[in-house]
Amino acid sequence: EGRPLREALAYISGKVLVYMTVGGAVILLGLQLQSAVVPVVIAARKALGPLMIVIGLGLLGVLRLRGSVGRVVSAWLRARLPRKGAWGAFLLGVSFSFTFCPTLFWLFFGLMIPLALRSTAGLVFPGLFAVGTTLPLVVYAGLLAVGSGAAGGLVEHLKRAGPMITRISGVIFVLAGINDTLTYWAL
């Protein structure tokens, strides 16, 4: 009793650990560079607009985003991990964190990291990013675990709505990127 919840929390914890470690290291490095000589926040703000445009164009299918990393590491880890229990779920979360799809890669390093460099609470952003990208999977797994027939219907609705949501997201990213580019390149 309570085992699926423990395993879901362990999986999320594994992802949060990796994202916080990688993201925290990149953010701390950026803050160190900023305090040294390079105005990282200014450079990040100037890069953020064009990066959002690129991500938006990728979501719209105009550009093919590359940048998937960690597949070899992830496959190696998955082959050696225990498959059961909370410990296995935690290690699975760690393993899957090393596999960034191109969109997730650009969102994490191109959007979230520059935003984190601007914020006083920026070190929390990687953990929130990990939780946010994991919640849809956990909800779907929860529906499957309870045996709800809604899981199949949910998948069908998401399949139909997915392309439209992706296009809307792409347009929003392009418009926000144009706004940011005009704002921070004109300053």
Side-chain angles (χ1 to χ4, degrees):
E1 197 170 307
R3 189 176 131 217
L5 179 60
R6 273 194 314 273
E7 290 177 1
L9 291 174
Y11 177 80
I12 291 170
S13 297
K15 288 191 71 116
V16 167
L17 174 70
V18 171
Y19 278 70
M20 290 288 291
T21 302
V22 172
V26 172
I27 291 166
L28 290 174
L29 177 64
L31 291 173
Q32 289 298 318
L33 288 173
Q34 176 185 338
S35 67
V37 204
V38 182
V40 175
V41 172
I42 294 169
R45 282 308 303 176
K46 286 191 172 195
L48 188 59
L51 281 171
M52 287 192 328
I53 293 170
V54 168
I55 292 168
L57 292 174
L59 291 171
L60 290 169
V62 175
L63 294 176
R64 184 180 163 124
L65 297 177
R66 300 194 188 274
S68 182
V69 295
R71 287 189 183 167
V72 173
V73 172
S74 182
W76 183 85
L77 284 171
R78 277 196 309 270
R80 289 156 181 76
L81 296 178
R83 301 271 184 209
K84 297 188 182 203
W87 181 243
F90 173 81
L91 293 174
L92 190 63
V94 167
S95 170
F96 282 168
S97 295
F98 284 104
T99 306
F100 278 102
C101 71
T103 304
L104 200 59
F105 176 86
W106 288 107
L107 287 173
F108 186 77
F109 289 104
L111 184 62
M112 195 277 309
I113 294 292
L115 289 173
L117 285 169
R118 286 187 44 227
S119 174
T120 55
L123 287 173
V124 178
F125 286 23
L128 293 174
F129 188 88
V131 170
T133 58
T134 306
L135 281 180
L137 173 68
V138 171
V139 168
Y140 181 68
L143 288 172
L144 288 176
V146 263
S148 171
L154 177 65
V155 169
E156 286 306 312
H157 287 329
L158 290 175
K159 279 182 184 177
R160 283 194 298 267
M164 183 188 310
I165 292 169
T166 301
R167 283 191 294 274
I168 291 169
S169 299
V171 169
I172 290 170
F173 268 93
V174 168
L175 293 175
I178 290 169
N179 179 58
D180 250 21
T181 301
L182 294 174
T183 300
Y184 290 98
W185 282 89
L187 293 178

mmCIF file with all atom_site columns, all heavy atoms in Angstrom, residues 19-21 23-29 31 112 115-117 119-128:
data_model
loop_
_atom_site.group_PDB
_atom_site.id
_atom_site.type_symbol
_atom_site.label_atom_id
_atom_site.label_alt_id
_atom_site.label_comp_id
_atom_site.label_asym_id
_atom_site.label_entity_id
_atom_site.label_seq_id
_atom_site.pdbx_PDB_ins_code
_atom_site.Cartn_x
_atom_site.Cartn_y
_atom_site.Cartn_z
_atom_site.occupancy
_atom_site.B_iso_or_equiv
_atom_site.pdbx_formal_charge
_atom_site.auth_seq_id
_atom_site.auth_comp_id
_atom_site.auth_asym_id
_atom_site.auth_atom_id
_atom_site.pdbx_PDB_model_num
ATOM 1   N N   . TYR A 1 19  ? 18.917 17.204 -12.396 1.00 0.00 ? 19  TYR A N   1
ATOM 2   C CA  . TYR A 1 19  ? 18.673 18.549 -12.924 1.00 0.00 ? 19  TYR A CA  1
ATOM 3   C C   . TYR A 1 19  ? 19.246 19.621 -11.994 1.00 0.00 ? 19  TYR A C   1
ATOM 4   O O   . TYR A 1 19  ? 19.815 20.607 -12.456 1.00 0.00 ? 19  TYR A O   1
ATOM 5   C CB  . TYR A 1 19  ? 17.178 18.790 -13.139 1.00 0.00 ? 19  TYR A CB  1
ATOM 6   C CG  . TYR A 1 19  ? 16.641 18.236 -14.431 1.00 0.00 ? 19  TYR A CG  1
ATOM 7   C CD1 . TYR A 1 19  ? 16.529 16.866 -14.646 1.00 0.00 ? 19  TYR A CD1 1
ATOM 8   C CD2 . TYR A 1 19  ? 16.235 19.081 -15.445 1.00 0.00 ? 19  TYR A CD2 1
ATOM 9   C CE1 . TYR A 1 19  ? 16.030 16.368 -15.826 1.00 0.00 ? 19  TYR A CE1 1
ATOM 10  C CE2 . TYR A 1 19  ? 15.734 18.593 -16.642 1.00 0.00 ? 19  TYR A CE2 1
ATOM 11  C CZ  . TYR A 1 19  ? 15.640 17.230 -16.817 1.00 0.00 ? 19  TYR A CZ  1
ATOM 12  O OH  . TYR A 1 19  ? 15.157 16.744 -17.992 1.00 0.00 ? 19  TYR A OH  1
ATOM 13  N N   . MET A 1 20  ? 19.082 19.412 -10.674 1.00 0.00 ? 20  MET A N   1
ATOM 14  C CA  . MET A 1 20  ? 19.627 20.389 -9.724  1.00 0.00 ? 20  MET A CA  1
ATOM 15  C C   . MET A 1 20  ? 21.152 20.396 -9.774  1.00 0.00 ? 20  MET A C   1
ATOM 16  O O   . MET A 1 20  ? 21.768 21.457 -9.687  1.00 0.00 ? 20  MET A O   1
ATOM 17  C CB  . MET A 1 20  ? 19.154 20.080 -8.297  1.00 0.00 ? 20  MET A CB  1
ATOM 18  C CG  . MET A 1 20  ? 17.685 20.331 -8.058  1.00 0.00 ? 20  MET A CG  1
ATOM 19  S SD  . MET A 1 20  ? 17.242 22.070 -7.993  1.00 0.00 ? 20  MET A SD  1
ATOM 20  C CE  . MET A 1 20  ? 18.006 22.581 -6.492  1.00 0.00 ? 20  MET A CE  1
ATOM 21  N N   . THR A 1 21  ? 21.752 19.232 -9.930  1.00 0.00 ? 21  THR A N   1
ATOM 22  C CA  . THR A 1 21  ? 23.211 19.149 -9.969  1.00 0.00 ? 21  THR A CA  1
ATOM 23  C C   . THR A 1 21  ? 23.752 19.805 -11.241 1.00 0.00 ? 21  THR A C   1
ATOM 24  O O   . THR A 1 21  ? 24.627 20.679 -11.180 1.00 0.00 ? 21  THR A O   1
ATOM 25  C CB  . THR A 1 21  ? 23.669 17.677 -9.880  1.00 0.00 ? 21  THR A CB  1
ATOM 26  O OG1 . THR A 1 21  ? 23.157 17.109 -8.675  1.00 0.00 ? 21  THR A OG1 1
ATOM 27  C CG2 . THR A 1 21  ? 25.179 17.575 -9.902  1.00 0.00 ? 21  THR A CG2 1
ATOM 28  N N   . GLY A 1 23  ? 22.067 21.740 -13.561 1.00 0.00 ? 23  GLY A N   1
ATOM 29  C CA  . GLY A 1 23  ? 21.617 23.126 -13.664 1.00 0.00 ? 23  GLY A CA  1
ATOM 30  C C   . GLY A 1 23  ? 22.288 24.021 -12.640 1.00 0.00 ? 23  GLY A C   1
ATOM 31  O O   . GLY A 1 23  ? 22.710 25.141 -12.948 1.00 0.00 ? 23  GLY A O   1
ATOM 32  N N   . GLY A 1 24  ? 22.419 23.528 -11.402 1.00 0.00 ? 24  GLY A N   1
ATOM 33  C CA  . GLY A 1 24  ? 23.074 24.313 -10.363 1.00 0.00 ? 24  GLY A CA  1
ATOM 34  C C   . GLY A 1 24  ? 24.523 24.611 -10.705 1.00 0.00 ? 24  GLY A C   1
ATOM 35  O O   . GLY A 1 24  ? 25.004 25.732 -10.502 1.00 0.00 ? 24  GLY A O   1
ATOM 36  N N   . ALA A 1 25  ? 25.221 23.613 -11.255 1.00 0.00 ? 25  ALA A N   1
ATOM 37  C CA  . ALA A 1 25  ? 26.623 23.830 -11.634 1.00 0.00 ? 25  ALA A CA  1
ATOM 38  C C   . ALA A 1 25  ? 26.738 24.875 -12.738 1.00 0.00 ? 25  ALA A C   1
ATOM 39  O O   . ALA A 1 25  ? 27.592 25.772 -12.675 1.00 0.00 ? 25  ALA A O   1
ATOM 40  C CB  . ALA A 1 25  ? 27.254 22.514 -12.082 1.00 0.00 ? 25  ALA A CB  1
ATOM 41  N N   . VAL A 1 26  ? 25.857 24.784 -13.743 1.00 0.00 ? 26  VAL A N   1
ATOM 42  C CA  . VAL A 1 26  ? 25.899 25.746 -14.851 1.00 0.00 ? 26  VAL A CA  1
ATOM 43  C C   . VAL A 1 26  ? 25.540 27.146 -14.343 1.00 0.00 ? 26  VAL A C   1
ATOM 44  O O   . VAL A 1 26  ? 26.178 28.137 -14.710 1.00 0.00 ? 26  VAL A O   1
ATOM 45  C CB  . VAL A 1 26  ? 24.956 25.307 -15.997 1.00 0.00 ? 26  VAL A CB  1
ATOM 46  C CG1 . VAL A 1 26  ? 24.833 26.381 -17.055 1.00 0.00 ? 26  VAL A CG1 1
ATOM 47  C CG2 . VAL A 1 26  ? 25.458 24.005 -16.624 1.00 0.00 ? 26  VAL A CG2 1
ATOM 48  N N   . ILE A 1 27  ? 24.533 27.238 -13.479 1.00 0.00 ? 27  ILE A N   1
ATOM 49  C CA  . ILE A 1 27  ? 24.122 28.535 -12.936 1.00 0.00 ? 27  ILE A CA  1
ATOM 50  C C   . ILE A 1 27  ? 25.232 29.128 -12.079 1.00 0.00 ? 27  ILE A C   1
ATOM 51  O O   . ILE A 1 27  ? 25.568 30.318 -12.208 1.00 0.00 ? 27  ILE A O   1
ATOM 52  C CB  . ILE A 1 27  ? 22.807 28.403 -12.140 1.00 0.00 ? 27  ILE A CB  1
ATOM 53  C CG1 . ILE A 1 27  ? 21.655 28.096 -13.093 1.00 0.00 ? 27  ILE A CG1 1
ATOM 54  C CG2 . ILE A 1 27  ? 22.516 29.674 -11.336 1.00 0.00 ? 27  ILE A CG2 1
ATOM 55  C CD1 . ILE A 1 27  ? 20.394 27.614 -12.404 1.00 0.00 ? 27  ILE A CD1 1
ATOM 56  N N   . LEU A 1 28  ? 25.826 28.328 -11.205 1.00 0.00 ? 28  LEU A N   1
ATOM 57  C CA  . LEU A 1 28  ? 26.919 28.835 -10.362 1.00 0.00 ? 28  LEU A CA  1
ATOM 58  C C   . LEU A 1 28  ? 28.110 29.274 -11.201 1.00 0.00 ? 28  LEU A C   1
ATOM 59  O O   . LEU A 1 28  ? 28.734 30.298 -10.911 1.00 0.00 ? 28  LEU A O   1
ATOM 60  C CB  . LEU A 1 28  ? 27.330 27.786 -9.325  1.00 0.00 ? 28  LEU A CB  1
ATOM 61  C CG  . LEU A 1 28  ? 26.303 27.546 -8.220  1.00 0.00 ? 28  LEU A CG  1
ATOM 62  C CD1 . LEU A 1 28  ? 26.736 26.383 -7.335  1.00 0.00 ? 28  LEU A CD1 1
ATOM 63  C CD2 . LEU A 1 28  ? 26.088 28.806 -7.385  1.00 0.00 ? 28  LEU A CD2 1
ATOM 64  N N   . LEU A 1 29  ? 28.412 28.510 -12.246 1.00 0.00 ? 29  LEU A N   1
ATOM 65  C CA  . LEU A 1 29  ? 29.492 28.913 -13.151 1.00 0.00 ? 29  LEU A CA  1
ATOM 66  C C   . LEU A 1 29  ? 29.149 30.240 -13.818 1.00 0.00 ? 29  LEU A C   1
ATOM 67  O O   . LEU A 1 29  ? 29.995 31.137 -13.895 1.00 0.00 ? 29  LEU A O   1
ATOM 68  C CB  . LEU A 1 29  ? 29.739 27.835 -14.209 1.00 0.00 ? 29  LEU A CB  1
ATOM 69  C CG  . LEU A 1 29  ? 30.794 28.166 -15.268 1.00 0.00 ? 29  LEU A CG  1
ATOM 70  C CD1 . LEU A 1 29  ? 32.171 28.308 -14.627 1.00 0.00 ? 29  LEU A CD1 1
ATOM 71  C CD2 . LEU A 1 29  ? 30.817 27.095 -16.338 1.00 0.00 ? 29  LEU A CD2 1
ATOM 72  N N   . LEU A 1 31  ? 27.185 32.576 -12.689 1.00 0.00 ? 31  LEU A N   1
ATOM 73  C CA  . LEU A 1 31  ? 27.256 33.647 -11.691 1.00 0.00 ? 31  LEU A CA  1
ATOM 74  C C   . LEU A 1 31  ? 28.711 34.015 -11.383 1.00 0.00 ? 31  LEU A C   1
ATOM 75  O O   . LEU A 1 31  ? 29.027 35.181 -11.169 1.00 0.00 ? 31  LEU A O   1
ATOM 76  C CB  . LEU A 1 31  ? 26.515 33.242 -10.413 1.00 0.00 ? 31  LEU A CB  1
ATOM 77  C CG  . LEU A 1 31  ? 24.991 33.133 -10.549 1.00 0.00 ? 31  LEU A CG  1
ATOM 78  C CD1 . LEU A 1 31  ? 24.385 32.562 -9.275  1.00 0.00 ? 31  LEU A CD1 1
ATOM 79  C CD2 . LEU A 1 31  ? 24.374 34.477 -10.899 1.00 0.00 ? 31  LEU A CD2 1
ATOM 80  N N   . MET A 1 112 ? 15.672 28.094 -19.626 1.00 0.00 ? 112 MET A N   1
ATOM 81  C CA  . MET A 1 112 ? 15.619 28.048 -18.172 1.00 0.00 ? 112 MET A CA  1
ATOM 82  C C   . MET A 1 112 ? 16.898 28.568 -17.521 1.00 0.00 ? 112 MET A C   1
ATOM 83  O O   . MET A 1 112 ? 16.837 29.338 -16.562 1.00 0.00 ? 112 MET A O   1
ATOM 84  C CB  . MET A 1 112 ? 15.320 26.612 -17.714 1.00 0.00 ? 112 MET A CB  1
ATOM 85  C CG  . MET A 1 112 ? 14.899 26.490 -16.265 1.00 0.00 ? 112 MET A CG  1
ATOM 86  S SD  . MET A 1 112 ? 16.234 26.441 -15.050 1.00 0.00 ? 112 MET A SD  1
ATOM 87  C CE  . MET A 1 112 ? 17.298 25.193 -15.674 1.00 0.00 ? 112 MET A CE  1
ATOM 88  N N   . LEU A 1 115 ? 17.122 32.379 -17.657 1.00 0.00 ? 115 LEU A N   1
ATOM 89  C CA  . LEU A 1 115 ? 16.149 32.940 -16.714 1.00 0.00 ? 115 LEU A CA  1
ATOM 90  C C   . LEU A 1 115 ? 16.620 32.756 -15.276 1.00 0.00 ? 115 LEU A C   1
ATOM 91  O O   . LEU A 1 115 ? 16.457 33.654 -14.437 1.00 0.00 ? 115 LEU A O   1
ATOM 92  C CB  . LEU A 1 115 ? 14.777 32.288 -16.902 1.00 0.00 ? 115 LEU A CB  1
ATOM 93  C CG  . LEU A 1 115 ? 14.030 32.651 -18.172 1.00 0.00 ? 115 LEU A CG  1
ATOM 94  C CD1 . LEU A 1 115 ? 12.765 31.809 -18.311 1.00 0.00 ? 115 LEU A CD1 1
ATOM 95  C CD2 . LEU A 1 115 ? 13.697 34.133 -18.199 1.00 0.00 ? 115 LEU A CD2 1
ATOM 96  N N   . ALA A 1 116 ? 17.216 31.623 -14.985 1.00 0.00 ? 116 ALA A N   1
ATOM 97  C CA  . ALA A 1 116 ? 17.719 31.361 -13.639 1.00 0.00 ? 116 ALA A CA  1
ATOM 98  C C   . ALA A 1 116 ? 18.862 32.302 -13.278 1.00 0.00 ? 116 ALA A C   1
ATOM 99  O O   . ALA A 1 116 ? 18.990 32.721 -12.127 1.00 0.00 ? 116 ALA A O   1
ATOM 100 C CB  . ALA A 1 116 ? 18.181 29.909 -13.518 1.00 0.00 ? 116 ALA A CB  1
ATOM 101 N N   . LEU A 1 117 ? 19.687 32.654 -14.253 1.00 0.00 ? 117 LEU A N   1
ATOM 102 C CA  . LEU A 1 117 ? 20.788 33.579 -13.996 1.00 0.00 ? 117 LEU A CA  1
ATOM 103 C C   . LEU A 1 117 ? 20.279 34.971 -13.625 1.00 0.00 ? 117 LEU A C   1
ATOM 104 O O   . LEU A 1 117 ? 20.947 35.708 -12.914 1.00 0.00 ? 117 LEU A O   1
ATOM 105 C CB  . LEU A 1 117 ? 21.706 33.669 -15.215 1.00 0.00 ? 117 LEU A CB  1
ATOM 106 C CG  . LEU A 1 117 ? 22.624 32.479 -15.437 1.00 0.00 ? 117 LEU A CG  1
ATOM 107 C CD1 . LEU A 1 117 ? 23.285 32.563 -16.806 1.00 0.00 ? 117 LEU A CD1 1
ATOM 108 C CD2 . LEU A 1 117 ? 23.670 32.384 -14.340 1.00 0.00 ? 117 LEU A CD2 1
ATOM 109 N N   . SER A 1 119 ? 17.422 35.559 -11.926 1.00 0.00 ? 119 SER A N   1
ATOM 110 C CA  . SER A 1 119 ? 16.592 35.531 -10.730 1.00 0.00 ? 119 SER A CA  1
ATOM 111 C C   . SER A 1 119 ? 17.412 35.262 -9.471  1.00 0.00 ? 119 SER A C   1
ATOM 112 O O   . SER A 1 119 ? 18.383 34.507 -9.503  1.00 0.00 ? 119 SER A O   1
ATOM 113 C CB  . SER A 1 119 ? 15.533 34.433 -10.877 1.00 0.00 ? 119 SER A CB  1
ATOM 114 O OG  . SER A 1 119 ? 14.794 34.285 -9.688  1.00 0.00 ? 119 SER A OG  1
ATOM 115 N N   . THR A 1 120 ? 16.976 35.847 -8.363  1.00 0.00 ? 120 THR A N   1
ATOM 116 C CA  . THR A 1 120 ? 17.646 35.569 -7.088  1.00 0.00 ? 120 THR A CA  1
ATOM 117 C C   . THR A 1 120 ? 17.354 34.150 -6.615  1.00 0.00 ? 120 THR A C   1
ATOM 118 O O   . THR A 1 120 ? 18.118 33.596 -5.830  1.00 0.00 ? 120 THR A O   1
ATOM 119 C CB  . THR A 1 120 ? 17.197 36.574 -6.002  1.00 0.00 ? 120 THR A CB  1
ATOM 120 O OG1 . THR A 1 120 ? 15.774 36.534 -5.906  1.00 0.00 ? 120 THR A OG1 1
ATOM 121 C CG2 . THR A 1 120 ? 17.659 37.978 -6.338  1.00 0.00 ? 120 THR A CG2 1
ATOM 122 N N   . ALA A 1 121 ? 16.267 33.561 -7.069  1.00 0.00 ? 121 ALA A N   1
ATOM 123 C CA  . ALA A 1 121 ? 15.919 32.187 -6.704  1.00 0.00 ? 121 ALA A CA  1
ATOM 124 C C   . ALA A 1 121 ? 16.269 31.219 -7.824  1.00 0.00 ? 121 ALA A C   1
ATOM 125 O O   . ALA A 1 121 ? 15.713 30.130 -7.903  1.00 0.00 ? 121 ALA A O   1
ATOM 126 C CB  . ALA A 1 121 ? 14.431 32.102 -6.387  1.00 0.00 ? 121 ALA A CB  1
ATOM 127 N N   . GLY A 1 122 ? 17.209 31.598 -8.669  1.00 0.00 ? 122 GLY A N   1
ATOM 128 C CA  . GLY A 1 122 ? 17.530 30.815 -9.855  1.00 0.00 ? 122 GLY A CA  1
ATOM 129 C C   . GLY A 1 122 ? 17.982 29.398 -9.601  1.00 0.00 ? 122 GLY A C   1
ATOM 130 O O   . GLY A 1 122 ? 17.744 28.519 -10.425 1.00 0.00 ? 122 GLY A O   1
ATOM 131 N N   . LEU A 1 123 ? 18.595 29.131 -8.468  1.00 0.00 ? 123 LEU A N   1
ATOM 132 C CA  . LEU A 1 123 ? 19.069 27.774 -8.202  1.00 0.00 ? 123 LEU A CA  1
ATOM 133 C C   . LEU A 1 123 ? 17.924 26.784 -7.987  1.00 0.00 ? 123 LEU A C   1
ATOM 134 O O   . LEU A 1 123 ? 18.127 25.585 -8.071  1.00 0.00 ? 123 LEU A O   1
ATOM 135 C CB  . LEU A 1 123 ? 20.010 27.760 -6.988  1.00 0.00 ? 123 LEU A CB  1
ATOM 136 C CG  . LEU A 1 123 ? 21.391 28.360 -7.246  1.00 0.00 ? 123 LEU A CG  1
ATOM 137 C CD1 . LEU A 1 123 ? 22.193 28.473 -5.953  1.00 0.00 ? 123 LEU A CD1 1
ATOM 138 C CD2 . LEU A 1 123 ? 22.156 27.543 -8.270  1.00 0.00 ? 123 LEU A CD2 1
ATOM 139 N N   . VAL A 1 124 ? 16.735 27.279 -7.742  1.00 0.00 ? 124 VAL A N   1
ATOM 140 C CA  . VAL A 1 124 ? 15.566 26.417 -7.571  1.00 0.00 ? 124 VAL A CA  1
ATOM 141 C C   . VAL A 1 124 ? 14.978 26.015 -8.919  1.00 0.00 ? 124 VAL A C   1
ATOM 142 O O   . VAL A 1 124 ? 14.322 24.976 -9.041  1.00 0.00 ? 124 VAL A O   1
ATOM 143 C CB  . VAL A 1 124 ? 14.496 27.152 -6.714  1.00 0.00 ? 124 VAL A CB  1
ATOM 144 C CG1 . VAL A 1 124 ? 13.248 26.323 -6.547  1.00 0.00 ? 124 VAL A CG1 1
ATOM 145 C CG2 . VAL A 1 124 ? 15.074 27.534 -5.369  1.00 0.00 ? 124 VAL A CG2 1
ATOM 146 N N   . PHE A 1 125 ? 15.225 26.803 -9.954  1.00 0.00 ? 125 PHE A N   1
ATOM 147 C CA  . PHE A 1 125 ? 14.622 26.575 -11.270 1.00 0.00 ? 125 PHE A CA  1
ATOM 148 C C   . PHE A 1 125 ? 14.874 25.175 -11.836 1.00 0.00 ? 125 PHE A C   1
ATOM 149 O O   . PHE A 1 125 ? 13.946 24.562 -12.367 1.00 0.00 ? 125 PHE A O   1
ATOM 150 C CB  . PHE A 1 125 ? 15.096 27.628 -12.267 1.00 0.00 ? 125 PHE A CB  1
ATOM 151 C CG  . PHE A 1 125 ? 14.483 28.991 -12.089 1.00 0.00 ? 125 PHE A CG  1
ATOM 152 C CD1 . PHE A 1 125 ? 13.944 29.409 -10.883 1.00 0.00 ? 125 PHE A CD1 1
ATOM 153 C CD2 . PHE A 1 125 ? 14.457 29.881 -13.136 1.00 0.00 ? 125 PHE A CD2 1
ATOM 154 C CE1 . PHE A 1 125 ? 13.392 30.662 -10.718 1.00 0.00 ? 125 PHE A CE1 1
ATOM 155 C CE2 . PHE A 1 125 ? 13.904 31.143 -12.995 1.00 0.00 ? 125 PHE A CE2 1
ATOM 156 C CZ  . PHE A 1 125 ? 13.370 31.531 -11.784 1.00 0.00 ? 125 PHE A CZ  1
ATOM 157 N N   . PRO A 1 126 ? 16.102 24.627 -11.774 1.00 0.00 ? 126 PRO A N   1
ATOM 158 C CA  . PRO A 1 126 ? 16.297 23.283 -12.348 1.00 0.00 ? 126 PRO A CA  1
ATOM 159 C C   . PRO A 1 126 ? 15.433 22.216 -11.686 1.00 0.00 ? 126 PRO A C   1
ATOM 160 O O   . PRO A 1 126 ? 14.910 21.332 -12.369 1.00 0.00 ? 126 PRO A O   1
ATOM 161 C CB  . PRO A 1 126 ? 17.793 23.010 -12.122 1.00 0.00 ? 126 PRO A CB  1
ATOM 162 C CG  . PRO A 1 126 ? 18.411 24.359 -12.034 1.00 0.00 ? 126 PRO A CG  1
ATOM 163 C CD  . PRO A 1 126 ? 17.379 25.228 -11.363 1.00 0.00 ? 126 PRO A CD  1
ATOM 164 N N   . GLY A 1 127 ? 15.264 22.301 -10.379 1.00 0.00 ? 127 GLY A N   1
ATOM 165 C CA  . GLY A 1 127 ? 14.415 21.331 -9.689  1.00 0.00 ? 127 GLY A CA  1
ATOM 166 C C   . GLY A 1 127 ? 12.958 21.469 -10.103 1.00 0.00 ? 127 GLY A C   1
ATOM 167 O O   . GLY A 1 127 ? 12.265 20.471 -10.332 1.00 0.00 ? 127 GLY A O   1
ATOM 168 N N   . LEU A 1 128 ? 12.487 22.705 -10.205 1.00 0.00 ? 128 LEU A N   1
ATOM 169 C CA  . LEU A 1 128 ? 11.109 22.939 -10.651 1.00 0.00 ? 128 LEU A CA  1
ATOM 170 C C   . LEU A 1 128 ? 10.926 22.461 -12.085 1.00 0.00 ? 128 LEU A C   1
ATOM 171 O O   . LEU A 1 128 ? 9.874  21.904 -12.432 1.00 0.00 ? 128 LEU A O   1
ATOM 172 C CB  . LEU A 1 128 ? 10.755 24.425 -10.529 1.00 0.00 ? 128 LEU A CB  1
ATOM 173 C CG  . LEU A 1 128 ? 10.687 24.977 -9.108  1.00 0.00 ? 128 LEU A CG  1
ATOM 174 C CD1 . LEU A 1 128 ? 10.475 26.487 -9.128  1.00 0.00 ? 128 LEU A CD1 1
ATOM 175 C CD2 . LEU A 1 128 ? 9.610  24.282 -8.308  1.00 0.00 ? 128 LEU A CD2 1
#
